[in-house]
Amino acid sequence: MLENSALCYDLHSHSIASDGVLTPTELVARASKCGVDVLALTDHDGLSGVPEALLAAKNHDLKVVSGVEISVTWNKYLLHIVGLCVDHTNQILNEGLKKIRNTRTERAHEMARRLEAYGIPDVLEGVMKHANGEVISRSHFAYFLIEKGYAKDQKQVFKNFLVSNKPGYVATEWATLEETINWIRGAGGIAVIAHPARYKMTATKFRKLLAEFKLLGGASIEVLSSSHSFDESIKMSAYAQKFDLYASQGSDFHRPHTQYVELGRLPKMPVGCTPVWESPEWRV
Ligand code: AMP
Ligand code: MN
Ligand code: MN
Ligand code: MN
């Protein structure tokens, strides 16, 4: 392995254990081919892909970080909090995630009911063909609706069916920020705000979020993300420094051949940030 600063870190990715399309083994192989040295698997609300990813890493010159991306409701906003370096066998974390997955299943039934009432037949069966059964995501609804010709791509399908005020949208109460950070820290992990520039918040609200996150034991924000423009990364780098938060980076890879998103393809971390892998809590 290369010296630390020269390593390629990708600390946000998905497999079929949530809404990605590659198995953990395929994901690790692809990451290795893409030049990633340290890959975090961060599936939505579940850790079931982690053991396979850890095993697959043994066949490559690459380290896997156990991670998760947790769905949180904070002041009516849907936030994603990534946990890095978590003990994936931790009982309290796993119980918390199980509760969220149950909410996902209930939501999926209600989404299917509404889309069927709207006139689309056999939604639940169709969606379940794309999901692994454990974590049902809006992405699986998107894959189904595109397959059936109701939309031409992911962007359109969300815009027309899966967001607020559209026929398939169901408002949902996820975990609290406090319990999420406690679960992650209780499992020895580091809490990271995922793709922070994606939340449509005023600057005042965003500063309130960062202050509260920090107070509750949150440690890091994603400065570099495929969701961020260059300007947004620079802005997040300034916030990270101002709030004394470590800087993380991740592609948020879900599937191959997605425009602009590939494993390990991230710009250089802006100068002045302290990368999350320099945190004392970091372990691989
Ligand atoms: P869920 O967690 O089930 O509500 O689904 C959210 C997932 O859908 C995210 O993790 C993304 O992978 C995907 N997603 C959310 N919003 C969009 C969007 N506007 N366009 C494309 N994909 C999206
Ligand atoms: Mn996703
Ligand atoms: Mn996310
Ligand atoms: Mn993600």
Side-chain angles (χ1 to χ4, degrees):
M1 283 248 240
L2 302 161
E3 90 176 65
N4 229 18
S5 60
L7 293 178
C8 174
Y9 289 83
D10 189 335
L11 303 178
H12 189 149
S13 70
H14 296 273
S15 75
I16 51 162
S18 66
D19 58 349
V21 304
L22 301 184
T23 65
T25 303
E26 290 165 344
L27 181 78
V28 166
R30 188 178 183 94
S32 177
K33 221 167 135 187
C34 290
V36 174
D37 298 296
V38 184
L39 174 76
L41 176 64
T42 56
D43 274 308
H44 296 284
D45 306 317
L47 289 155
S48 67
V50 168
E52 186 184 318
L54 290 170
L55 205 65
K58 293 187 196 300
N59 297 322
H60 299 276
D61 189 16
L62 167 154
K63 295 256 189 241
V64 162
V65 172
S66 328
V68 63
E69 181 175 17
I70 305 182
S71 310
V72 167
T73 302
W74 180 82
N75 283 330
K76 303 238 165 25
Y77 288 92
L78 164 64
L79 304 180
H80 283 171
I81 303 295
V82 161
L84 296 175
C85 310
V86 293
D87 167 8
H88 64 280
T89 67
N90 181 275
Q91 198 186 340
I92 296 173
L93 172 61
N94 276 285
E95 283 169 6
L97 296 175
K98 177 74 187 143
K99 218 171 58 182
I100 306 179
R101 292 199 297 275
N102 290 341
T103 304
R104 281 186 169 278
T105 304
E106 284 166 23
R107 177 185 67 156
H109 282 88
E110 181 57 20
M111 285 172 70
R113 201 189 61 70
R114 291 191 193 183
L115 287 166
E116 283 172 10
Y118 179 75
I120 301 171
D122 306 323
V123 177
L124 200 60
E125 299 90 297
V127 168
M128 292 311 271
K129 284 191 197 130
H130 293 272
N132 70 357
E134 218 188 320
V135 176
I136 314 172
S137 158
R138 274 186 294 166
S139 300
H140 299 122
F141 281 80
Y143 300 151
F144 163 76
L145 290 165
I146 293 166
E147 174 195 53
K148 295 293 175 199
Y150 289 98
K152 70 175 186 348
D153 59 27
Q154 187 100 351
K155 202 172 157 196
Q156 280 303 318
V157 81
F158 269 84
K159 192 164 165 254
N160 295 339
F161 294 95
L162 302 174
V163 294
S164 190
N165 298 319
K166 296 295 167 177
Y169 184 75
V170 175
T172 311
E173 194 70 29
W174 303 105
T176 68
L177 185 61
E178 182 170 14
E179 66 187 344
T180 298
I181 295 171
N182 287 341
W183 293 335
I184 292 169
R185 295 187 78 204
I190 303 169
V192 185
I193 301 179
H195 39 67
R198 221 159 80 183
Y199 312 120
K200 301 276 169 272
M201 268 179 216
T202 61
T204 311
K205 242 309 158 22
F206 188 63
R207 281 195 295 269
K208 186 171 180 285
L209 168 63
L210 293 182
E212 203 172 314
F213 176 70
K214 174 102 188 165
L215 200 68
L216 293 169
S220 173
I221 63 172
E222 284 180 356
V223 167
L224 301 179
S225 161
S226 60
S227 306
H228 289 180
S229 66
F230 177 80
D231 287 354
E232 286 169 339
S233 299
I234 299 298
K235 205 163 108 183
M236 289 307 147
S237 142
Y239 274 121
Q241 292 174 63
K242 185 160 190 281
F243 283 82
D244 197 20
L245 292 160
Y246 291 99
S248 188
Q249 60 181 50
S251 63
D252 204 359
F253 177 88
H254 282 72
R255 57 210 164 99
H257 316 302
T258 322
Q259 216 183 358
Y260 309 122
V261 184
E262 183 53 91
L263 289 157
R265 196 190 292 160
L266 290 156
K268 251 178 114 62
M269 189 67 89
V271 178
C273 287
T274 310
V276 66
W277 51 88
E278 288 178 14
S279 149
E281 318 291 326
W282 182 261
R283 61 199 163 78
V284 182

Coordinates of all heavy atoms in Angstrom, one line a residue, residues 188-252:
G188 N -18.7 2.2 18.1 CA -17.3 2.5 17.9 C -17.0 3.3 16.6 O -15.9 3.5 16.2
G189 N -18.1 3.8 16.0 CA -17.9 4.5 14.7 C -17.9 6.0 14.7 O -18.0 6.6 15.8
I190 N -17.8 6.6 13.6 CA -17.7 8.0 13.4 C -18.9 8.4 12.6 O -19.2 7.9 11.5 CB -16.4 8.3 12.5 CG1 -15.1 7.8 13.2 CG2 -16.3 9.8 12.2 CD1 -13.9 7.8 12.3
A191 N -19.6 9.5 13.1 CA -20.8 9.9 12.4 C -20.5 11.1 11.4 O -19.8 12.0 11.8 CB -21.8 10.4 13.4
V192 N -21.0 10.9 10.2 CA -20.7 11.9 9.1 C -22.0 12.3 8.5 O -22.8 11.5 8.1 CB -19.8 11.1 8.0 CG1 -19.4 12.1 6.9 CG2 -18.7 10.3 8.6
I193 N -22.1 13.6 8.2 CA -23.3 14.1 7.5 C -23.0 13.8 6.0 O -22.1 14.4 5.4 CB -23.6 15.6 7.7 CG1 -23.9 15.8 9.2 CG2 -24.8 16.0 6.9 CD1 -24.2 17.3 9.6
A194 N -23.9 13.0 5.4 CA -23.7 12.7 4.0 C -24.2 13.9 3.1 O -25.1 14.6 3.4 CB -24.5 11.4 3.6
H195 N -23.5 14.0 1.9 CA -23.8 15.0 0.9 C -24.6 16.2 1.4 O -25.7 16.5 1.1 CB -24.7 14.4 -0.2 CG -25.7 13.3 0.2 ND1 -26.8 13.7 0.9 CD2 -25.8 12.0 0.0 CE1 -27.5 12.6 1.2 NE2 -26.9 11.6 0.6
P196 N -23.9 17.0 2.3 CA -24.6 18.1 3.0 C -25.1 19.2 2.1 O -26.1 19.9 2.5 CB -23.5 18.7 4.0 CG -22.2 18.2 3.4 CD -22.5 16.9 2.8
A197 N -24.6 19.4 0.9 CA -25.0 20.4 0.1 C -26.4 20.1 -0.6 O -27.0 21.0 -1.2 CB -24.0 20.8 -1.0
R198 N -26.8 18.8 -0.4 CA -28.0 18.4 -1.1 C -29.3 18.9 -0.3 O -30.4 18.9 -0.9 CB -28.0 16.9 -1.2 CG -28.6 16.5 -2.6 CD -28.1 15.1 -3.0 NE -28.9 14.1 -2.3 CZ -28.7 12.8 -2.5 NH1 -27.7 12.4 -3.2 NH2 -29.4 11.9 -1.9
Y199 N -29.1 19.2 1.0 CA -30.3 19.5 1.8 C -30.7 21.0 1.5 O -29.8 21.9 1.5 CB -30.1 19.3 3.3 CG -29.5 18.0 3.5 CD1 -28.2 17.8 4.1 CD2 -30.1 16.8 3.1 CE1 -27.6 16.6 4.3 CE2 -29.6 15.6 3.3 CZ -28.3 15.5 3.9 OH -27.8 14.2 4.1
K200 N -31.9 21.2 1.1 CA -32.3 22.5 0.8 C -32.7 23.3 2.0 O -33.8 23.4 2.5 CB -33.6 22.5 -0.2 CG -33.3 21.7 -1.5 CD -32.7 22.6 -2.5 CE -32.2 21.8 -3.7 NZ -30.8 21.2 -3.6
M201 N -31.6 23.9 2.6 CA -31.8 24.6 3.9 C -31.2 26.0 3.8 O -30.3 26.2 3.0 CB -30.9 23.9 5.0 CG -31.5 22.9 5.8 SD -30.3 22.2 6.9 CE -30.9 20.5 6.9
T202 N -31.7 26.9 4.6 CA -31.1 28.2 4.7 C -29.8 28.1 5.4 O -29.5 27.1 6.1 CB -32.0 29.2 5.5 OG1 -32.1 28.7 6.8 CG2 -33.4 29.4 4.9
A203 N -28.9 29.1 5.2 CA -27.6 29.0 5.9 C -27.8 29.0 7.4 O -27.0 28.3 8.1 CB -26.8 30.3 5.5
T204 N -28.8 29.7 7.9 CA -29.0 29.7 9.3 C -29.4 28.3 9.8 O -28.9 27.8 10.9 CB -30.2 30.7 9.7 OG1 -29.9 31.9 9.0 CG2 -30.4 30.9 11.1
K205 N -30.3 27.7 9.1 CA -30.7 26.3 9.5 C -29.5 25.3 9.4 O -29.3 24.5 10.3 CB -31.8 25.8 8.5 CG -33.2 25.5 8.9 CD -33.4 24.6 10.0 CE -34.6 24.5 10.8 NZ -35.8 25.0 10.4
F206 N -28.7 25.5 8.4 CA -27.6 24.6 8.2 C -26.6 24.7 9.3 O -26.1 23.8 9.8 CB -26.9 24.8 6.8 CG -25.9 23.8 6.5 CD1 -26.2 22.5 6.3 CD2 -24.6 24.2 6.3 CE1 -25.2 21.5 6.1 CE2 -23.6 23.2 6.1 CZ -23.9 21.9 5.9
R207 N -26.3 26.0 9.7 CA -25.4 26.2 10.9 C -26.0 25.6 12.1 O -25.3 25.1 13.0 CB -25.2 27.7 11.0 CG -24.1 28.3 10.0 CD -23.6 29.6 10.5 NE -24.7 30.6 10.4 CZ -25.0 31.4 9.4 NH1 -24.2 31.3 8.3 NH2 -25.9 32.3 9.4
K208 N -27.3 25.7 12.3 CA -28.0 25.1 13.5 C -27.8 23.6 13.4 O -27.5 22.9 14.5 CB -29.5 25.5 13.4 CG -30.3 25.0 14.6 CD -31.7 25.6 14.6 CE -32.5 25.3 15.8 NZ -33.0 23.9 15.8
L209 N -27.9 23.0 12.2 CA -27.7 21.6 12.1 C -26.3 21.2 12.5 O -26.1 20.2 13.3 CB -28.0 21.1 10.7 CG -27.5 19.7 10.3 CD1 -28.3 18.6 11.1 CD2 -27.7 19.4 8.8
L210 N -25.3 21.9 12.0 CA -23.9 21.6 12.3 C -23.6 21.7 13.8 O -22.9 20.9 14.3 CB -23.0 22.5 11.5 CG -23.0 22.2 9.9 CD1 -21.9 23.1 9.3 CD2 -22.7 20.8 9.6
A211 N -24.1 22.8 14.4 CA -23.9 23.0 15.8 C -24.5 21.8 16.6 O -23.9 21.3 17.5 CB -24.5 24.3 16.2
E212 N -25.8 21.5 16.3 CA -26.4 20.4 17.0 C -25.8 19.1 16.8 O -25.6 18.3 17.7 CB -27.9 20.4 16.5 CG -28.8 19.7 17.6 CD -30.3 19.9 17.2 OE1 -30.7 21.0 16.8 OE2 -31.0 18.9 17.2
F213 N -25.4 18.8 15.5 CA -24.7 17.6 15.2 C -23.4 17.4 16.0 O -23.1 16.3 16.6 CB -24.4 17.6 13.7 CG -23.6 16.5 13.1 CD1 -24.2 15.2 13.0 CD2 -22.3 16.7 12.7 CE1 -23.4 14.2 12.5 CE2 -21.6 15.6 12.1 CZ -22.1 14.4 12.0
K214 N -22.7 18.5 16.1 CA -21.4 18.5 16.8 C -21.6 18.2 18.3 O -20.9 17.4 18.9 CB -20.7 19.8 16.5 CG -19.5 20.1 17.3 CD -18.3 19.9 16.4 CE -17.1 20.0 17.3 NZ -15.8 19.6 16.7
L215 N -22.6 18.9 18.8 CA -22.9 18.8 20.3 C -23.3 17.4 20.6 O -23.0 16.9 21.7 CB -24.1 19.8 20.6 CG -24.3 20.2 22.0 CD1 -23.1 21.0 22.4 CD2 -25.6 21.0 22.1
L216 N -24.0 16.7 19.7 CA -24.5 15.3 19.9 C -23.4 14.3 19.7 O -23.7 13.1 19.9 CB -25.7 15.0 19.0 CG -27.0 15.8 19.3 CD1 -28.0 15.6 18.2 CD2 -27.6 15.4 20.6
G217 N -22.2 14.7 19.3 CA -21.1 13.8 19.1 C -20.8 13.5 17.6 O -20.0 12.6 17.4
G218 N -21.4 14.2 16.7 CA -21.1 14.0 15.3 C -19.7 14.6 15.0 O -19.3 15.5 15.7
A219 N -19.0 14.0 14.1 CA -17.6 14.3 13.9 C -17.2 14.8 12.6 O -16.1 15.4 12.4 CB -16.7 13.1 14.3
S220 N -18.0 14.6 11.5 CA -17.5 14.8 10.2 C -18.6 15.2 9.2 O -19.8 14.8 9.4 CB -16.8 13.5 9.7 OG -16.4 13.6 8.4
I221 N -18.3 15.8 8.1 CA -19.2 16.0 7.0 C -18.5 15.7 5.7 O -17.3 15.8 5.6 CB -19.7 17.5 6.9 CG1 -18.6 18.5 6.6 CG2 -20.5 17.9 8.1 CD1 -19.1 19.9 6.3
E222 N -19.3 15.2 4.7 CA -18.7 14.9 3.4 C -18.5 16.3 2.7 O -19.4 17.0 2.5 CB -19.7 14.1 2.6 CG -19.7 12.6 3.0 CD -20.6 11.8 2.2 OE1 -21.4 12.3 1.3 OE2 -20.7 10.5 2.4
V223 N -17.2 16.5 2.5 CA -16.8 17.7 1.7 C -16.9 17.4 0.2 O -17.4 18.2 -0.5 CB -15.4 18.2 2.2 CG1 -14.9 19.3 1.2 CG2 -15.5 18.8 3.6
L224 N -16.4 16.2 -0.1 CA -16.4 15.8 -1.5 C -17.4 14.7 -1.7 O -17.4 13.7 -0.9 CB -15.0 15.3 -1.9 CG -13.8 16.3 -1.8 CD1 -12.5 15.6 -2.2 CD2 -14.1 17.5 -2.6
S225 N -18.3 14.9 -2.6 CA -19.4 14.0 -2.9 C -19.7 14.1 -4.4 O -19.7 15.3 -4.9 CB -20.6 14.2 -2.0 OG -21.7 13.6 -2.5
S226 N -20.2 13.1 -5.0 CA -20.6 13.2 -6.4 C -21.8 14.1 -6.5 O -22.2 14.6 -7.6 CB -20.9 11.9 -7.0 OG -21.9 11.2 -6.3
S227 N -22.5 14.3 -5.4 CA -23.7 15.3 -5.4 C -23.3 16.7 -5.3 O -24.1 17.6 -5.5 CB -24.5 15.1 -4.1 OG -24.9 13.8 -4.0
H228 N -22.0 17.0 -5.1 CA -21.5 18.4 -4.9 C -20.9 19.0 -6.1 O -20.1 18.3 -6.8 CB -20.5 18.5 -3.7 CG -21.1 18.2 -2.4 ND1 -20.3 18.2 -1.2 CD2 -22.3 18.0 -2.0 CE1 -21.1 18.0 -0.2 NE2 -22.3 17.8 -0.6
S229 N -21.2 20.2 -6.4 CA -20.5 20.9 -7.4 C -19.1 21.4 -6.8 O -18.9 21.3 -5.6 CB -21.3 22.2 -7.8 OG -21.3 23.1 -6.7
F230 N -18.2 21.9 -7.6 CA -16.9 22.4 -7.1 C -17.2 23.5 -6.1 O -16.6 23.4 -5.0 CB -16.1 23.0 -8.3 CG -14.8 23.6 -7.9 CD1 -13.7 22.8 -7.6 CD2 -14.7 24.9 -7.8 CE1 -12.5 23.3 -7.2 CE2 -13.5 25.5 -7.3 CZ -12.4 24.7 -7.1
D231 N -18.1 24.4 -6.3 CA -18.3 25.5 -5.4 C -18.9 25.0 -4.1 O -18.6 25.5 -3.0 CB -19.3 26.5 -6.0 CG -18.7 27.4 -7.1 OD1 -17.4 27.2 -7.2 OD2 -19.4 28.1 -7.7
E232 N -19.8 24.0 -4.2 CA -20.3 23.4 -3.0 C -19.3 22.7 -2.1 O -19.3 22.8 -0.9 CB -21.5 22.4 -3.3 CG -22.7 23.2 -3.8 CD -23.8 22.2 -4.4 OE1 -23.4 21.1 -4.9 OE2 -25.0 22.7 -4.5
S233 N -18.3 22.1 -2.8 CA -17.2 21.4 -2.0 C -16.4 22.4 -1.3 O -16.0 22.2 -0.1 CB -16.3 20.6 -3.0 OG -17.1 19.6 -3.6
I234 N -16.1 23.5 -1.9 CA -15.3 24.6 -1.3 C -16.1 25.2 -0.1 O -15.6 25.4 1.0 CB -15.0 25.8 -2.3 CG1 -14.2 25.2 -3.5 CG2 -14.4 26.9 -1.7 CD1 -12.9 24.6 -3.1
K235 N -17.4 25.3 -0.3 CA -18.3 25.9 0.8 C -18.3 24.9 2.0 O -18.1 25.3 3.1 CB -19.7 26.0 0.2 CG -20.5 27.0 1.0 CD -21.7 27.5 0.2 CE -23.0 26.9 0.8 NZ -24.2 27.2 0.0
M236 N -18.4 23.6 1.7 CA -18.4 22.6 2.8 C -17.1 22.5 3.4 O -17.0 22.2 4.6 CB -18.9 21.2 2.2 CG -20.3 21.2 1.8 SD -21.4 21.8 3.2 CE -22.7 22.6 2.3
S237 N -16.0 22.7 2.7 CA -14.7 22.7 3.3 C -14.6 23.8 4.3 O -14.0 23.6 5.4 CB -13.7 22.8 2.2 OG -12.6 23.6 2.5
A238 N -15.1 25.0 4.0 CA -15.1 26.1 4.9 C -15.9 25.8 6.2 O -15.5 26.1 7.3 CB -15.6 27.4 4.2
Y239 N -17.1 25.2 6.0 CA -18.0 24.8 7.1 C -17.2 23.8 8.0 O -17.3 23.9 9.2 CB -19.3 24.2 6.6 CG -20.4 25.2 6.4 CD1 -20.9 25.3 5.1 CD2 -20.8 26.1 7.4 CE1 -21.9 26.3 4.8 CE2 -21.8 27.0 7.1 CZ -22.4 27.1 5.8 OH -23.4 28.0 5.6
A240 N -16.6 22.8 7.4 CA -15.9 21.8 8.2 C -14.9 22.4 9.1 O -14.7 22.1 10.2 CB -15.3 20.8 7.2
Q241 N -14.1 23.4 8.5 CA -13.1 24.0 9.3 C -13.7 24.9 10.4 O -13.2 24.9 11.5 CB -12.2 24.9 8.3 CG -11.4 24.0 7.4 CD -10.6 24.7 6.4 OE1 -9.7 25.5 6.7 NE2 -10.9 24.5 5.1
K242 N -14.7 25.6 10.0 CA -15.4 26.5 11.0 C -15.9 25.8 12.2 O -15.8 26.2 13.3 CB -16.5 27.3 10.3 CG -17.1 28.4 11.2 CD -17.8 29.4 10.3 CE -18.2 30.6 11.1 NZ -19.4 30.5 11.8
F243 N -16.5 24.6 11.9 CA -17.2 23.9 13.0 C -16.3 22.7 13.5 O -16.7 21.9 14.3 CB -18.5 23.3 12.5 CG -19.6 24.3 12.4 CD1 -19.7 25.2 11.4 CD2 -20.5 24.5 13.5 CE1 -20.7 26.2 11.3 CE2 -21.5 25.4 13.5 CZ -21.6 26.3 12.4
D244 N -15.0 22.8 13.1 CA -14.0 21.8 13.6 C -14.5 20.3 13.4 O -14.6 19.5 14.3 CB -13.8 22.1 15.1 CG -12.5 21.4 15.6 OD1 -11.7 21.0 14.7 OD2 -12.4 21.1 16.8
L245 N -14.9 20.1 12.2 CA -15.4 18.8 11.8 C -14.4 18.2 10.8 O -13.9 18.9 9.9 CB -16.8 18.9 11.1 CG -17.9 19.3 12.1 CD1 -19.1 19.8 11.3 CD2 -18.4 18.1 12.9
Y246 N -14.2 16.9 10.9 CA -13.4 16.2 9.9 C -14.0 16.2 8.5 O -15.3 16.1 8.4 CB -13.1 14.8 10.3 CG -12.2 14.7 11.6 CD1 -12.7 14.5 12.8 CD2 -10.8 14.8 11.4 CE1 -11.9 14.4 13.9 CE2 -10.0 14.8 12.5 CZ -10.5 14.6 13.8 OH -9.7 14.5 14.9
A247 N -13.2 16.1 7.5 CA -13.8 16.1 6.1 C -13.8 14.7 5.6 O -12.7 14.0 5.6 CB -12.9 17.0 5.2
S248 N -14.9 14.3 5.1 CA -15.0 13.0 4.4 C -15.2 13.1 2.9 O -15.5 14.2 2.4 CB -16.1 12.1 5.1 OG -16.0 10.8 4.6
Q249 N -15.1 12.0 2.2 CA -15.3 12.0 0.8 C -15.8 10.7 0.3 O -15.4 9.6 0.8 CB -14.0 12.4 0.1 CG -12.8 11.3 0.3 CD -11.6 11.7 -0.4 OE1 -11.1 12.9 -0.3 NE2 -11.0 10.8 -1.1
G250 N -16.8 10.8 -0.6 CA -17.3 9.5 -1.1 C -18.1 9.7 -2.4 O -18.7 10.8 -2.7
S251 N -18.1 8.7 -3.3 CA -18.7 8.8 -4.6 C -20.2 8.6 -4.5 O -20.9 9.1 -5.3 CB -18.2 7.7 -5.5 OG -18.5 6.4 -5.0
D252 N -20.7 7.9 -3.5 CA -22.1 7.5 -3.4 C -22.5 6.7 -4.6 O -23.6 6.8 -5.1 CB -23.0 8.8 -3.3 CG -24.4 8.5 -2.6 OD1 -24.6 7.3 -2.3 OD2 -25.2 9.4 -2.5

